[in-house]
Amino acid sequence: MKMTVISDTHGNYRRLKSVIEQNTDSNLFIHCGDGLKEAWRLAEENPHLNFVFVKGNCDYQNYTEENMVEVSGHRIFYTHGHNYHVRRSHDGVVKRAKSLQCTIALYGHTHVHETSIVSGIHVMNSGSVDSPREGNCPTYGVIMIDDDSGVSMEIVECGSRQ
């Protein structure tokens, strides 16, 4: 099972479309906010692909700010992160994921990519495909879930082939 995780596209439809086109073998695309408009558009243009998304602090549509999905026996919590003070720490996101009995927590907002395992929770911030910070290249995330090897997370620079 392959999932592509994207966040903080901030209106960059072209870059988001490129990421989707490079990952058409993904079983699920998760957008963690600040790009809801272009995420909806791509979902409508690609009804054969599976998309889920949440609203970020720069999205003005009326939509949920956090959600959960179950994939291959793993509960995944995803949010933009601004309500959990992720600029200081991802502890709030991890705590929320644990309270929902999730094994994976995804967030955005900081525009800085990260993967880690905290208190048994796989944590990913995919960075930003539009406006990365701290000298990083534009990035997105790929999560693989395999019955034998479990969960693996990877940060991919935009433009590189997965």
Side-chain angles (χ1 to χ4, degrees), residues 90 107 112-118 123-127 153 155:
H90 55 237
Y107 70 98
V112 178
H113 61 79
E114 173 208 4
T115 61
S116 59
I117 300 174
V118 180
V123 179
M124 175 185 276
N125 181 330
S126 62
M153 300 182 296
I155 298 298

Side-chain angles (χ1 to χ4, degrees), residues 4-133:
T4 301
V5 182
I6 308 145
S7 187
D8 297 288
T9 51
H10 290 281
N12 195 333
Y13 171 84
R14 184 181 51 78
R15 179 80 45 83
L16 177 58
K17 183 178 180 184
S18 175
V19 169
I20 301 306
E21 288 171 347
Q22 290 178 37
N23 292 280
T24 57
D25 60 334
S26 280
N27 302 92
L28 179 63
F29 294 90
I30 302 172
H31 195 298
C32 291
D34 281 357
L36 193 54
K37 185 176 178 180
E38 60 268 22
W40 271 340
R41 179 178 168 193
L42 275 163
E44 288 175 359
E45 292 172 353
N46 296 280
H48 59 288
L49 300 176
N50 190 11
F51 289 85
V52 295
F53 20 74
V54 290
K55 171 183 173 173
N57 64 303
C58 293
D59 292 317
Y60 300 105
Q61 300 86 348
N62 185 18
Y63 203 71
T64 186
E65 294 182 345
E66 63 179 52
N67 212 338
M68 247 184 358
V69 64
E70 188 160 338
V71 175
S72 296
H74 289 267
R75 291 172 62 111
I76 301 169
F77 170 67
Y78 58 103
T79 186
H80 186 59
H82 61 291
N83 292 326
Y84 292 94
H85 310 289
V86 294
R87 289 194 195 276
R88 284 182 275 178
S89 154
H90 55 237
D91 291 349
V93 170
V94 170
K95 183 177 179 180
R96 179 68 172 146
K98 285 184 82 114
S99 76
L100 296 169
Q101 299 176 332
C102 293
T103 56
I104 301 172
L106 309 174
Y107 70 98
H109 189 57
T110 67
H111 297 225
V112 178
H113 61 79
E114 173 208 4
T115 61
S116 59
I117 300 174
V118 180
S119 301
I121 306 293
H122 288 77
V123 179
M124 175 185 276
N125 181 330
S126 62
S128 172
V129 296
D130 176 67
S131 47
R133 295 185 178 140

Side-chain angles (χ1 to χ4, degrees), residues 2-3 23 124 140-144 152-154 156 162:
K2 177 181 177 181
M3 293 172 284
N23 292 280
M124 175 185 276
Y140 63 92
V142 171
I143 299 175
M144 299 294 290
S152 65
M153 300 182 296
E154 179 184 5
V156 180
Q162 174 59 28

